[in-house]
Amino acid sequence: MQNDILFFAEQRNGRIQKICFELAGGAKRLASQTGGRSIAFLAGQDVYGEAQSLLQAGADCVFFADSPLLAYYSTDFYAELMEQAVQSVNPGLILLGSTTVGMDLAPALAVKLDAGLAADCTGLWVDDGFRMARPSLDGAATDILYCPDGNPVIATLRPGVLTPLAEEEALSFPAASADTVKELSLSLAEEALRTQNRVELIEIEPGNKRSDDITKARVLAAGGRGMGGPAGFETLKRIAELLGGSVACSRACIESGWADTACQVGQTGKTVRPALYLACGISGAFQHTTGMDGSGLIISINKNPAAPIFDISDLGIVGNVEVILPQLIQALEAYQGI
Ligand SMILES: Cc1cc2nc3c(=O)[nH]c(=O)nc-3n(C[C@H](O)[C@H](O)[C@H](O)COP(=O)(O)OP(=O)(O)OC[C@H]3O[C@@H](n4cnc5c(N)ncnc54)[C@H](O)[C@@H]3O)c2cc1C
């Protein structure tokens, strides 16, 4: 087994995305088990400064490519450059986030490298090679994957599955030296890169909808079908405001059109790990809890004392959200002097 672990450091508008710090932490921990290095691949425009932050996040080495042509993601450019990084270090494992970009780049890279790809994983560990887990059969089972001939193995990880290094943990590893940032040459001339690009980004149209990124929230006020309708979500918005958090929901609420799809937590939604997850009128189906059971503190309100959500809750309140949540708002407003 090759020991090094390479991860894709996705940037948007020149800023490293949160998932990269999770991949950096995960790669560092795995590399400490394999005896290898955690190596970042970063492409973009004016991204040298971000390379330094990757070293602090756990990368032992950063390969970066800098060009105006790389300011926005392009499958062809990025796959070409990442292949160069792979050929330089010959890693055993390549990690990407299960983001829109990661899910586009990973298969392109797998084809170039003739490598095995485990997509949308919810677990990753070392056990005589790399093992990956992902939900299957509508969440009734978990597949454990292994790539016997895949060297390297490519895995895309859902946001929130790996965690960034805590400050103290980072100090327990030897610091990376300053000469570990290596620039990749753009092997083809810029004009050649331009003409070989099979998909060109011609314009970015701003969206008219803004949803909070629930994977970044420290507090989530989450609602399920038990919230009763859109008015229930207005109540949750107020609670989220008062607690400095965001609103999340179960899939039932997306299907009912009560909340934005970006708020969905679970198997087909997002994986979140807020410090506080307030689950209101959510039954606790496996497909939901798989996306939030790593939260710091889970408080649930449900009128059914046998609701499965209570099995994973730190505090369970049996009661009606229509009664309890207005009281919570009143108490929070009073506490904040509003
Ligand atoms: C392939 C597949 C993928 C899926 N992916 C996801 C996913 O990513 N995320 C997800 O969430 N689901 C997902 N689901 C759906 C999942 O199986 C459940 O159906 C869904 O999570 C249920 O949502 P819920 O808990 O809001 O609704 P319900 O199961 O209907 O539960 C509502 C709960 O609210 C309680 N309640 C009702 N009224 C009140 C009240 N006034 N006060 C307090 N409590 C009240 C009830 O007791 C009940 O426990 C998926 C399903 C499949 C098949």
Side-chain angles (χ1 to χ4, degrees), residues 32-53:
S32 73
Q33 292 174 49
T34 62
R37 295 169 301 164
S38 142
I39 301 168
F41 164 75
L42 170 67
Q45 183 178 14
D46 300 330
V47 287
Y48 182 78
E50 295 297 322
Q52 301 300 325
S53 64

Side-chain angles (χ1 to χ4, degrees), residues 137-139 158 223-228 249-253 255 258 264-270 280-291 301-309 317-324:
L137 299 175
D138 288 350
R158 288 193 189 176
R225 207 189 320 258
M227 290 307 298
C249 69
S250 70
R251 188 162 110 171
C253 306
E255 286 162 356
W258 302 346
Q264 187 191 322
V265 170
Q267 187 189 322
T268 45
K270 293 187 175 144
C280 307
I282 295 178
S283 58
F286 167 82
Q287 293 93 345
H288 184 80
T289 57
T290 194
I301 307 170
N302 197 302
K303 66 181 184 185
N304 175 7
I309 192 76
I317 302 167
V318 179
N320 188 338
V321 289
E322 288 170 31
V323 176
I324 295 168

Side-chain angles (χ1 to χ4, degrees), residues 68-337:
L69 283 175
L70 299 166
Y72 296 106
Y73 171 71
S74 133
T75 313
D76 287 319
F77 294 176
Y78 277 54
E80 156 80 20
L81 287 161
M82 199 159 175
E83 186 187 19
Q84 266 189 48
V86 170
Q87 282 166 353
S88 306
V89 289
N90 192 19
L93 176 68
I94 300 172
L95 300 178
L96 301 94
S98 276
T99 60
T100 314
V101 167
M103 288 191 290
D104 183 84
L105 180 56
L109 192 63
V111 170
K112 269 181 173 289
L113 300 172
D114 195 19
L117 165 63
D120 212 22
C121 298
T122 51
L124 169 65
W125 64 98
V126 178
D127 177 10
D128 190 21
F130 297 105
R131 309 277 155 157
M132 284 75 60
R134 71 165 176 225
S136 65
L137 299 175
D138 288 350
T142 301
D143 290 340
I144 309 298
L145 305 172
Y146 173 65
C147 299
D149 300 321
N151 189 19
V153 175
I154 302 178
T156 59
L157 274 292
R158 288 193 189 176
V161 170
L162 301 177
T163 51
L165 292 183
E167 215 170 296
E168 220 168 82
E169 190 184 8
L171 293 174
S172 69
F173 295 107
S177 60
D179 64 348
T180 44
V181 177
K182 300 180 181 173
E183 184 157 13
L184 289 165
S185 69
L186 297 171
S187 60
L188 306 171
E190 290 204 343
E191 192 48 39
L193 271 174
R194 208 187 296 278
T195 52
Q196 283 182 20
N197 194 18
R198 284 168 291 187
V199 179
E200 194 175 339
L201 175 73
I202 45 175
E203 194 181 344
I204 298 178
E205 285 184 1
N208 54 8
K209 214 162 28 173
R210 199 194 83 79
S211 299
D212 291 340
D213 180 352
I214 59 168
T215 64
K216 293 183 180 152
R218 278 186 51 74
V219 173
L220 284 175
R225 207 189 320 258
M227 290 307 298
F233 274 80
E234 290 306 314
T235 306
L236 288 179
K237 261 185 216 160
R238 181 65 186 141
I239 291 171
E241 255 170 37
L242 289 164
L243 292 173
S246 303
V247 171
C249 69
S250 70
R251 188 162 110 171
C253 306
I254 304 294
E255 286 162 356
S256 305
W258 302 346
D260 191 287
T261 44
C263 303
Q264 187 191 322
V265 170
Q267 187 189 322
T268 45
K270 293 187 175 144
T271 302
V272 295
R273 290 173 191 270
L276 169 63
Y277 193 88
L278 179 63
C280 307
I282 295 178
S283 58
F286 167 82
Q287 293 93 345
H288 184 80
T289 57
T290 194
M292 47 66 76
D293 57 6
S295 302
L297 184 72
I298 300 173
I299 301 179
S300 305
I301 307 170
N302 197 302
K303 66 181 184 185
N304 175 7
I309 192 76
F310 289 137
D311 297 342
I312 58 153
S313 298
D314 298 289
L315 174 66
I317 302 167
V318 179
N320 188 338
V321 289
E322 288 170 31
V323 176
I324 295 168
L325 293 180
Q327 289 176 13
L328 175 61
I329 290 174
Q330 250 182 15
L332 288 169
E333 286 178 344
Y335 181 73
Q336 295 180 16

